[in-house]
C-alpha cells in the first residue's frame, strides 16, 4: 500500500520529520510517498493561508495521486480536505481529522494543545467543520511568540507539557492531541509526563489511511462527494486543469 | 463610497448582470467597481472549486483593494470570505452571508432555492459556517440538469417559483433567498408570485457593504481577525505575496 | 424614507440621544421619526419589564406606523419584535438584532458589554431568540450599581472599555457591541481604545432599516409572519384594537 | 394549598372547562382559584397576541397572587411566564412547560398536536424557549380553519386523533400532548385510541404546581430570577405598578 | 398509591435516609415501598458501576413491580431508567431526571453540586441523556476525597454550601440541585444559606411519581417504549427472565 | 497483536460470521480471539437488553482481557463501551463507534441501514452518545418483521439495498453503514449496487483496534477514564468482582 504524505507547507524539514514519525507506526506493507509544497507558505497558520494552502494541496494531489492508494494531508487544520474528497477517487485523510477521530475512541473529550495563539481560531473552525465541537474540551496555545517553528517542540517541551496537564485538570480533557505539524513526534517523547493518553497526529493519520484502504470503499458516483462535472478551468496548473476537465485519464494514458 | 464587486468566477456576463442589479439598490453616493476573475472556473459549483476560487478571490482583493471602501465577494457560498477578513483592512461582505442575515430580519427561517443539485451541500456548509443552521428552513434545488447557467433564471423561472412556494408550504420558510449568482435579479421579477418576502442576494450584499462602511469599523489589531504576521510566500501572484509579506504598503508607496 | 425610531421606555432624553447618534449615520434621504413611550418604565431592564414594554411597543407602532417605511424598536433586547413583524406590514428592526447581525460580518464572535448585571440574562435570552448563541463570545456587565442610567456612559467609560478589552482577551471576541440604549453613541468615542471593531447599536439599526426598505420586501400573506386573522380585542388602546380587528384601514380612511 | 388557575384569555367558558379538568387530578387538599382575563383577546393565537396576553397575565397575577401558593398560567405557549417568575415570590407554572416536562418522563420525544396552523410557530418558539427542542418530535396542526374554538375538540376529535397517530408513526413521538386550552380534557377521552401515553396539559400543570409547592422552594434573592429593583412605572394597572415599585406590601398592609 | 423507592446500591442506610426524606413530601395517600439492592456496589460512582447497577435495577423492578403504581430509581444518574421504561408498564422516574425537570420550573439554569469528583462526568452524561445540557449551569464537586459517604452531608456541609454559592455567583445558576443519594435531605437544612431555590432530589422524585400516576398514562403499545418482543434469555434472575420472555403474567397468575 | 472480538449476544453463529469478516481485513500480525456471551439474550435489540448486555460485556472483558491488546465490543449500539473504558487498561472499540468514525472520513453524513424497526431508537441513542448526530443523515429500518435474524442479510438483501439507495437519494447520505451484527459481511457483497461508499462495521472495528494499538496510548491515571477506586462488590462474577476491588492483579499472579 502506498500512502501520499502531502505537506502543503513549503518546509522540507517538516516533511522529513513527519515521515520519520510515520514510519514508526506504518504497517509492514505500507510505503510512504512524501511530497512537499513547491509554492505557498513555509507554515500555514491562519484561515487566509489555509485557503491558499488548500488550493495548493489540490494541485499537489492532482499531480501525485496516480499510483498511490490514499492521501494524508499532513497539516493540522486539514486544508483542502473536503474539496479533495470530491475531486479524487482514493481515500483522503486529514491529519486533524484522523487525530480527533482516534482521540474520540480514547475518551469523551479531547484537548488540543498547540504552540501559537494564531492557530487557535483556525483549529476551532476545523473542529466545527468536522462536527466534533461537543467532543473537544478546548484548545490551549502557548502565549509567547515562537522563535523557530522548526525547533519549537524542543524549545518549549516543558511549556507544552504544562498546557496539556492544564487541559486535563481544568478543561477535563480525557485525551490530548499535540497539534500542528511542528509538534509531530513529540507525543511519544512526553507521554509519560501526562496522565491521560496522547494521540500523535501523524501516527493517527497513517493508521487511518491504512484502515480506509483496507475497507476498500468505492468512489461515490452520486451525491455531494461524487466527482464534479467536467469544467474548462483556466490559469491553473495542468494536472489540476485536466482533473477538473475530466481529461486526466486521457492525459495519463498518453503519458503512460 | 466605492464598493468592489468581486466575481470569483471567470464569467464576465455574470458580473455584468450582478452590477445591473446592484445599481438598482445602491445609494446615490455609491460607486460599484466590478472585477471578474482572470483565472479559475466559469462558475464555482463544488467545494473543490470553492477552495480554488476562494484563493483566487484573495489574489483579486490583493490586487484591487486599494482605493475601495469595502468588498463584496459576489458568489453565493462566500469563497475566501474568512481569509479575506484576516488579510485586509476594509469590510468584506459575502453574498450568501448578506442575504441570510438580511433574511433573518424578515422571518424566523429562510428557505434557500437554487438551480442545481450540486450546489446544495456546498451552500449547506456555508449556512453552517455562519452558524445560521437554526435559521435555515432548508435548501431546495432544481432536479433537472441545467442547459445554460447564463440563462437558467429565464429558462426555469416557473420551476424556481414552484420550489420557493414548496419551501414556504412544506419547510415553513418565512422568507426566500434565490441563491447563486446566475439568479441575481430574479427576486424582483417573481416577488408577486411568492407569498412571503424574497431577498435578492446582490441587493442585500451591496446594502450590507454600505451599512458597514457607514459604521466605520476599525481593523482588529489583535485576535483572530487581525492581520497575520508577515511571511515569505513563494509562487503566488505579486500583490498577494506582498500583502502576505507586509511589503505592500511600501510597494504601494513606490507605485504611488 | 421615513424610519420610526421607537423608544419603548418613557425616558425622553434617551430618545434624544439615540436620534442624535442615528443622524450621524443615516443616509441623505432618510428622515427619523422619534417617538417615546407614554406609559411603562423609564428603562426596561428585566424580562418582566420587557414583557410589558413589548406590548407597549405594539401599541405605539399601531398608533404611528402609517406614513413610515420601517420601524426601529430602539431597545436592546428587542421587546415586541416578533409580534410586531406579524401584526404590521413594514420592516421592523430590533436594535439588538441589528447590532448582532452587523457584528457577524466583522468577526466570528461578538462580545456584548453592558452596564448592569440585571441586563445579562435578558440579553442572553435575546441572543438565543435570534439563534445567534454560537456567534456570541459572552456578555460582560458592570458589577457596581449604576448611579444614573442617563449618565452611565460618561460615569463608567473607563470601566466599560476595560470590560470590552477583557471580552477580547479572555472571551476571544472579534468584535464588541456596547449594548443598551444608555450606551448609544459611546462606540464612536472609545473605538480607538479597543483593539477590535465596535458596533454601535443605533447606527446598525438605522442602516439595517434602510437596507431592508431598499430591498422592498413584500408582506407575507401566508405562514407565521402573515397578519393574524381579525379578532375582537377588549381593553386595549384603540389603534391596536383596530389593527387586531382589521378595522384600521377603514379607520384610517375615515380619519384621512 | 391554593392554586391560581389563570386564563390570560377573555373566554370564561375556557376557564370553566379547564377548572373541570383540573379538579379530576387535583389532590384532596388543593383548592383551585380560577380567574379569567378582563381584557385582551378571546383566544391568544400568535406571537403578537402572546406579547399582549403575557403582559395582561402579569397584571392578573399582581392582582391575585396574595393568598395563593402557586400560579398556573393556563395557556399553552406560556405567555408571561419568565417575567412572572422574576416579579413574584411563589412558584409559577406554564401549562406548556408542565405538559412538556411531564411528557419527558414518559418517552424520549413528545409530539404536539393542536387545532390551528397559526399556533405552530408560536408553540415552536415556546419549545425552544424551554430548551426542549431535542425532546420534541414535531408539531402537527389541523389544516382546515376552525369553526368555533369552544367546540373544536368535539368537532374535530377524529382528525386530532389521526394527527396524533401520525405523529407517533411518522415523527416517532413516544408520547403525545394535545395542546391549546380548547383541547383541555380531550386526552382522557381519546387515550384508548392512541397507542402511546397522552399528557393532559391542565392535569400536568396542576400536578406540577402541587409538586413545586410541596418542595417549598425559596424565592431567589440574587441572580436573574430575584425580584427586579423598584421602579416608578406609569400607565399600568395599580396592583402591577405597586408590585414594580415595591410598594405592594405596604398597599397590602393598608388594605388588610 | 404505592411507589417503589428503589435503591440500586447495596447500602441499607442510604435507603433509610431517602425514605425519611420522601415521607416529608409524600401525599397523604402515598405509600412508599423501599427496596435495597441485594447485589452490586455499596455506592454507584462511575459509568462502569452504573452499567452494572442499571442492570440490577431492572432485576429489582422485575421482582417488585407488581402491586406498585410507579417506581423511583433512587440514584442520581438514573441507572437503568430508559430500559426500565421499555420493559415495564408503570411510570418509572429517575431521581436525577425528576430533580432536573423540577428545577427547570424554578429558573433558567440549574447548578448541580455533588460530593466527589468522580461523579461529575457520569452526571454530565446523564444531563446530556435527558437533553438538558442547555439548562445546566455546570456541575461542581468537592475536591477532597470523601471519608465516609454515609456522613458526607454532615462532614462537608459548609463546603457544599460554598460550592452552591459559587455555582450561583460564577456559573449563574438560578436554582441548585444537591445531587447524589448521600446528600438526600440536605437541601431543606441549608436552604436558608443559599440565595436561590434548592431542589431536593428525593422529594422531587416522589412528587413527580405521584404526578405521573395521577395523569394515568397508558403503556405504549407501539414505538420505542413499547415492551420489547419476547425473547429467551439465559443466566438472568427468574423474574427478569420471565419478564423478557413475556411469561411473567402466567407466572404471576400461577403464584397468585 | 491479539484482539478480543467480544460478542455480547449468546449466538455462536453470529460470532463465527463476524470472525470470518474480520479475518478478511485484519493485518498479517493480528490474531482474533472470539468470545460469545454465556448468558444474556440471543440478540440485543432494545435499551433494556443493552443495559443487561453491557453489564455482561464487562463480565466478559474481566474474564478475558489478560493477554489481549485490545477489545472490540462486537454489537452495534456499543453496549458497555464507556464503562469498559474506565475499568480496563487496554483500548476498547465499539463496533458502532468504529463504523461511524470511519464513515466520517468518507463523507459528510453517514446513513445507517438496519433490519428491524426496534433497533432504530437504540441506535439513535448511540449516535447521540458519540456526539455524532450532526454527521448522521438518518436511520432507515426494514418495516417487515424479521423471520430469522441469522439469515436476514440473505433473506432481505434486496430490501436492504433499496433502503441504502433511499438513504442516499432522500436523506443525502454520502456513505452507508449496514448496521447490526447480523448484517456483518453484507457490505462487501452489495457494494457495487449502492452509489456511495459502504462501511463494514466489523472491518472498521478491527482496523480501528489495530490503529489504537499501534498508537500505544497509555491508560489514564486521572480524570473520568482512570480506573475507579477499589470497591467491595457483591453478587457479581468473580473476575469482575476482583477487577472492581483491584484484587485482580493479585489473583492473576496467584493463577499465573
Amino acid at each position: 500500500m502506498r500512502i501520499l504524505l502531502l505537506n502543503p507547507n513549503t518546509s522540507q524539514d517538516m516533511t522529513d520529520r513527519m515521515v520519520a514519525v510515520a514510519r514508526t507506526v506504518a504497517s509492514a506493507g505500507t510505503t510512504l510517498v512524501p511530497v512537499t509544497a513547491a509554492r505557498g507558505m513555509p507554515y500555514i497558520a491562519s484561515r487566509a493561508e489555509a485557503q491558499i494552502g488548500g488550493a495548493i494541496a489540490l494541485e499537489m494531489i492532482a499531480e501525485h495521486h496516480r499510483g498511490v492508494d490514499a492521501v494524508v494531508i499532513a497539516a493540522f487544520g486539514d486544508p483542502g480536505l473536503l474539496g479533495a474528497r470530491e475531486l479524487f477517487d482514493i481515500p483522503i485523510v486529514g491529519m486533524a481529522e484522523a487525530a480527533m477521530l482516534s482521540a474520540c475512541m480514547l475518551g469523551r473529550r479531547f484537548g488540543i494543545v498547540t504552540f501559537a495563539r494564531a492557530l487557535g481560531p483556525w483549529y476551532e473552525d476545523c473542529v466545527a467543520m468536522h462536527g466534533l465541537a461537543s467532543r473537544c474540551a478546548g484548545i490551549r496555545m502557548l502565549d509567547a511568540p515562537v522563535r523557530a517553528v522548526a525547533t519549537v517542540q524542543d524549545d518549549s517541551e516543558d511549556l507544552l507539557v504544562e498546557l496539556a496537564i492544564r487541559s486535563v485538570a481544568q478543561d477535563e480533557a480525557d485525551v490530548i492531541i499535540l497539534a500542528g505539524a511542528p509538534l509531530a513526534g513529540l507525543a511519544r517523547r512526553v507521554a509519560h509526563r501526562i496522565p491521560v493518553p496522547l494521540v500523535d497526529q501523524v501516527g493517527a493519520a497513517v493508521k487511518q489511511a491504512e484502515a480506509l484502504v483496507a475497507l476498500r470503499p468505492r468512489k461515490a458516483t452520486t451525491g455531494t462527494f461524487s466527482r464534479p462535472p467536467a469544467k474548462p478551468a483556466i490559469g491553473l496548473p495542468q494536472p489540476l486543469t485536466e482533473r477538473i476537465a475530466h481529461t486526466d485519464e486521457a492525459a495519463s494514458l498518453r503519458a503512460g
Side-chain angles (χ1 to χ4, degrees), chain A:
Chain A
M1 178 187 319
R2 290 164 60 80
I3 296 177
L4 188 70
L5 193 78
L6 182 159
N7 181 6
N9 301 298
T10 58
S11 310
Q12 178 66 43
D13 58 343
M14 208 176 280
T15 313
D16 296 344
R17 184 199 298 266
M18 290 195 286
V19 170
V21 175
R23 290 219 168 98
T24 65
V25 300
S27 291
T30 297
T31 304
L32 297 163
V33 182
V35 55
T36 305
R39 69 182 194 100
M41 274 71 53
Y43 186 61
I44 298 173
S46 70
R47 297 182 190 92
E49 292 159 15
Q51 181 75 48
I52 299 164
I56 290 169
L58 297 183
E59 296 171 10
M60 294 167 73
I61 305 177
E63 193 177 342
H64 297 284
H65 71 107
R66 307 226 160 255
V68 300
D69 299 288
V71 177
V72 168
I73 298 182
F76 209 90
D78 299 343
L81 180 65
L82 298 189
R85 281 197 183 133
E86 290 177 346
L87 216 45
F88 301 99
D89 300 343
I90 50 177
I92 317 277
V93 173
M95 196 159 77
E97 176 189 48
M100 294 192 291
L101 296 179
S102 300
C104 283
M105 292 180 285
L106 295 167
R108 289 300 278 162
R109 275 194 297 240
F110 52 83
I112 295 176
V113 169
T114 191
F115 60 91
R117 190 145 286 280
L119 297 168
W122 174 37
Y123 287 0
E124 189 184 333
D125 288 359
C126 178
V127 173
M129 179 183 84
H130 288 293
L132 294 172
S134 70
R135 302 297 298 269
C136 180
I139 302 174
R140 288 187 172 257
M141 301 149 276
L142 290 186
D143 257 330
V146 170
R147 259 187 321 171
V149 164
T151 57
V152 67
Q153 71 165 260
D154 299 302
D155 300 344
S156 306
E157 181 177 314
D158 286 354
L159 290 170
L160 289 162
V161 167
E162 200 187 303
L163 282 187
I165 288 172
R166 243 186 278 159
S167 177
V168 173
Q170 292 170 26
D171 306 342
E172 302 186 18
D174 303 315
V175 46
I176 295 290
I177 299 169
L178 298 171
L183 301 190
L186 178 61
R188 192 149 292 181
R189 208 161 71 233
V190 299
H192 65 285
R193 301 175 61 186
I194 295 167
V196 300
L198 299 193
V199 169
D200 182 83
Q201 53 194 341
V202 176
V206 168
K207 297 315 286 184
Q208 293 299 346
E210 288 180 353
L212 288 184
V213 172
L215 297 177
R216 297 194 301 175
R218 63 169 298 170
K219 170 69 179 177
T221 58
T222 186
T224 167
F225 284 97
S226 62
R227 189 170 173 186
K231 282 203 177 167
I234 55 177
L236 305 182
Q238 191 173 340
L240 184 56
T241 304
E242 290 177 347
R243 184 73 194 165
I244 290 173
H246 289 216
T247 56
D248 55 332
E249 281 85 3
S252 164
L253 287 176
R254 276 196 314 275

